[in-house]
Amino acid sequence: MTAALATPLAEHVHWAIDREVSVLPRIFDPEITLAVMQRTLSPEVVGGARAQREARFPLSFSWRGNPEGEALGDDLRKALHAPETSAALIEDVVTLAQAMAYLFETEEVGVRLRRLDEAMCPRFHCDRLPVRLVSTYLGPGSEWLPDDAVNRAGLGAPSASKPDILRVPEALDTLSAGDVALMKGTGWVGSEDRALVHRSPGVSPGEMRLVLTIDPV
């Protein structure tokens, strides 16, 4: 993830990127639509993520509840392939879910952990909710655009009459595996018309992604 850190495109920078966890509350700044904590995953977490490749069927875990109890960890252990190898991965998911609940002062979060063998949302879009946490454990991370590179008239359902969404191809930026990103959606008051534009990356044959999303409820 390098392009947006140096790009001169955006007249008003609307992202905050750092290696410290203190960057995540920057999502509450009115001008910020993307807050990213860059991090390197431990070998134990990566090992747990890689174990999901061995499962016969792709992992598609969905959960909603209070992450402060033991239910989330217990349900992950039941759902994940090779749970004995995935302890660090499970702990990481629970920690991020608890952090999301704390940051947004909610007792419930929605958690999804999926193994993807193709792009889940290949078209540029904005999420129709206030905010979402996105983190990729394996494979390429989500792609996103600075505001100045977006033609928002092209968003929504595709049609021949709509212009291309991407105005400046070289402005495309990509999150790295391990990054914890908070993305504002159209449901965030004040960001209805300027929510972050992003998409799922393409997945090459034989490649896979393991992606976590968390929504405050």
Side-chain angles (χ1 to χ4, degrees), residues 92-133:
D92 194 70
V93 172
V94 172
T95 297
L96 291 178
Q98 292 173 345
M100 195 69 167
Y102 175 80
L103 186 61
F104 291 96
E105 299 181 343
T106 180
E107 293 186 356
E108 287 195 353
V109 295
V111 178
R112 291 188 298 174
L113 183 64
R114 296 182 179 181
R115 193 190 94 187
L116 303 172
D117 301 313
E118 59 183 11
M120 181 171 60
C121 301
R123 181 174 169 80
F124 282 115
H125 66 284
C126 301
D127 292 328
R128 295 183 179 181
L129 74 175
V131 65
R132 169 166 285 164
L133 180 150

Side-chain angles (χ1 to χ4, degrees), residues 108-178:
E108 287 195 353
V109 295
V111 178
R112 291 188 298 174
L113 183 64
R114 296 182 179 181
R115 193 190 94 187
L116 303 172
D117 301 313
E118 59 183 11
M120 181 171 60
C121 301
R123 181 174 169 80
F124 282 115
H125 66 284
C126 301
D127 292 328
R128 295 183 179 181
L129 74 175
V131 65
R132 169 166 285 164
L133 180 150
V134 178
S135 190
T136 300
Y137 287 107
L138 279 183
S142 299
E143 298 174 344
W144 63 277
L145 295 173
D147 282 347
D148 291 357
V150 176
N151 186 343
R152 291 183 182 266
L155 295 171
S159 72
S161 62
K162 285 189 174 181
D164 290 338
I165 298 170
L166 180 55
R167 290 201 306 109
V168 187
E170 60 269 25
L172 177 68
D173 209 338
T174 303
L175 299 172
S176 298

Side-chain angles (χ1 to χ4, degrees), residues 1-5 15-18 24 33-39 127 132-145 171-183 196-201 209 211-213:
M1 178 177 180
T2 56
L5 291 175
W15 55 86
I17 301 169
D18 204 332
L24 294 179
T33 60
L34 173 68
V36 181
M37 181 182 71
Q38 296 176 318
R39 62 176 187 157
D127 292 328
R132 169 166 285 164
L133 180 150
V134 178
S135 190
T136 300
Y137 287 107
L138 279 183
S142 299
E143 298 174 344
W144 63 277
L145 295 173
L172 177 68
D173 209 338
T174 303
L175 299 172
S176 298
D179 288 350
V180 177
L182 295 178
M183 303 178 177
L196 187 77
V197 177
H198 63 284
R199 70 179 180 187
S200 299
R209 302 177 68 218
V211 182
L212 173 71
T213 63

